[in-house]
Amino acid sequence: MRADGKRVKNLKPFFEIIPYIMNKRVDSQNYITQEVDVEGIRKYISEKRGSGAGISHLSIVISAFFKTAREYGQLNYFVANKKIYRRNHFCISFVALKNDGGDEVTEQTVIKIFLEDGDNIFTISRKVNDAVEANKDVKGSNATDKLLSRLMHFPGLATFSVGFIKLLDRFGMLPRAIIDASPFHTSLFITNMASLRSKPIYHHIYEFGTTSIFVALGQNEKRLVLRKDGEVEERTVMPLGIVTDERIASGHYYTSAFRKMEKYLQNPALLEEGTY
């Protein structure tokens, strides 16, 4: 048993054999484009503005994914050493920008937050905002930065160190402390390309670690939509570029899960109830 998950047993033969046929994540990546009408998100953020909640598009997407994954548990599965595991916790990795006190971004870091039973849009927003605030200072460093700094302290040993960590990870012997600090061992890796005024990308899911799903938010775009009455109207959508590991769930499962996630994104008030 790994420190971060428990082996899933009694799988159907097809899912048992798939990790042997596609033994790398690059072999099993599927790419999904999802466009979400942002009218509901805009109204919700506007309504909550001034309440001190500090709700953002990013925190809404994270909350929607978390609530969906509680209903569709396979979203929190991962593959290690050709075996499928159920993660025993829930965490999110995302990139945060740093500055030296001015307006210019000088560095970036990766933040990892842990979500728990009972978390809702308000507690998740607070965790995201607190983590971003704590990592804004270019002089500061989090657990991820410290881990990487130690690995690169002796450049000549970096290849050996990383290789050794990969070997431990492969056989489920990586200590939980390293897993908790590693952004590559996560339920979801998410990036906000809208902050760079960019379209979403399809970001690869890392071969190292246990990331099975990567979501990229893009800048809002205009779309012409045919209404039920036959009239055409212009709507604003938030495009999402999603990359998934098909070894942990079927296409039908992913489709159903992301359809439910879209429901939560279009009506964020549903995210106020704690998730168990």
Side-chain angles (χ1 to χ4, degrees):
M1 181 174 174
R2 292 172 56 97
D4 54 351
K6 184 177 181 181
R7 173 96 179 271
V8 180
K9 298 181 179 179
N10 301 319
L11 289 167
K12 293 182 178 180
F14 179 79
F15 282 99
E16 287 275 14
I17 196 68
I18 278 293
Y20 289 88
I21 296 173
M22 296 182 290
N23 61 2
K24 295 183 181 298
R25 290 189 177 88
V26 69
D27 295 333
S28 54
Q29 292 181 154
N30 281 337
Y31 305 87
I32 305 168
T33 299
Q34 189 154 3
E35 294 184 341
V36 180
D37 191 322
V38 299
E39 186 63 24
I41 294 176
R42 283 178 169 175
K43 286 183 178 180
Y44 186 77
I45 291 177
S46 179
E47 289 172 2
K48 299 301 176 182
R49 187 175 294 129
S51 67
I55 295 171
S56 64
H57 286 69
L58 179 64
S59 60
I60 288 176
V61 174
I62 290 175
S63 300
F65 182 84
F66 179 55
K67 192 171 182 68
T68 301
R70 286 312 214 199
E71 299 174 49
Y72 292 83
Q74 286 177 234
L75 296 184
N76 203 23
Y77 283 12
F78 63 89
V79 177
N81 199 23
K82 303 183 181 70
K83 303 293 188 298
I84 298 177
Y85 290 84
R86 179 186 294 106
R87 191 176 277 101
N88 57 21
H89 60 285
F90 201 98
C91 51
I92 307 288
S93 297
F94 61 96
V95 174
L97 305 178
K98 293 186 172 190
N99 61 53
D100 55 6
D103 296 328
E104 293 296 322
V105 173
T106 56
E107 288 185 22
Q108 68 179 33
T109 187
V110 179
I111 294 174
K112 186 173 178 180
I113 60 173
F114 292 82
L115 306 184
E116 303 165 350
D117 288 346
D119 273 334
N120 58 20
I121 180 61
F122 302 116
T123 59
I124 291 173
S125 293
R126 189 156 50 247
K127 288 182 179 183
V128 170
N129 295 337
D130 288 350
V132 170
E133 186 64 29
N135 286 274
K136 282 174 61 176
D137 188 351
V138 71
K139 297 178 182 178
S141 60
N142 55 32
T144 299
D145 295 330
K146 291 175 181 176
L147 173 62
L148 298 178
S149 178
R150 290 191 187 106
L151 289 177
M152 298 306 296
H153 187 68
F154 301 102
L157 296 177
T159 299
F160 171 79
S161 300
V162 172
F164 184 61
I165 288 176
K166 284 184 174 181
L167 183 66
L168 291 178
D169 192 37
R170 179 182 176 187
F171 291 103
M173 299 171 63
L174 198 62
R176 182 62 188 264
I178 294 180
I179 291 172
D180 286 349
S182 166
F184 307 109
H185 293 75
T186 186
S187 307
L188 171 69
F189 211 121
I190 186 168
T191 183
N192 185 7
M193 303 300 295
S195 63
L196 303 176
R197 298 182 180 180
S198 170
K199 292 179 178 292
I201 62 172
Y202 296 106
H203 196 291
H204 62 90
I205 43 180
Y206 302 97
E207 192 57 43
F208 171 65
T210 60
T211 308
S212 296
I213 302 176
F214 203 118
V215 173
L217 284 67
Q219 186 175 23
N220 291 345
E221 299 177 5
K222 300 289 186 180
R223 292 286 185 272
L224 294 178
V225 179
L226 181 65
R227 300 191 319 216
K228 292 182 179 179
D229 61 6
E231 295 295 318
V232 175
E233 72 173 333
E234 187 177 68
R235 306 287 291 184
T236 302
V237 301
M238 175 177 63
L240 303 176
I242 305 171
V243 181
T244 65
D245 186 338
E246 74 166 293
R247 297 174 298 177
I248 66 167
S250 67
H252 179 268
Y253 192 92
Y254 276 126
T255 299
S256 299
F258 288 123
R259 187 175 291 134
K260 176 58 71 72
M261 180 175 163
E262 184 174 3
K263 173 186 174 183
Y264 292 136
L265 290 172
Q266 291 178 336
N267 187 7
L270 297 173
L271 302 172
E272 293 182 4
E273 183 179 347
T275 302
Y276 295 90

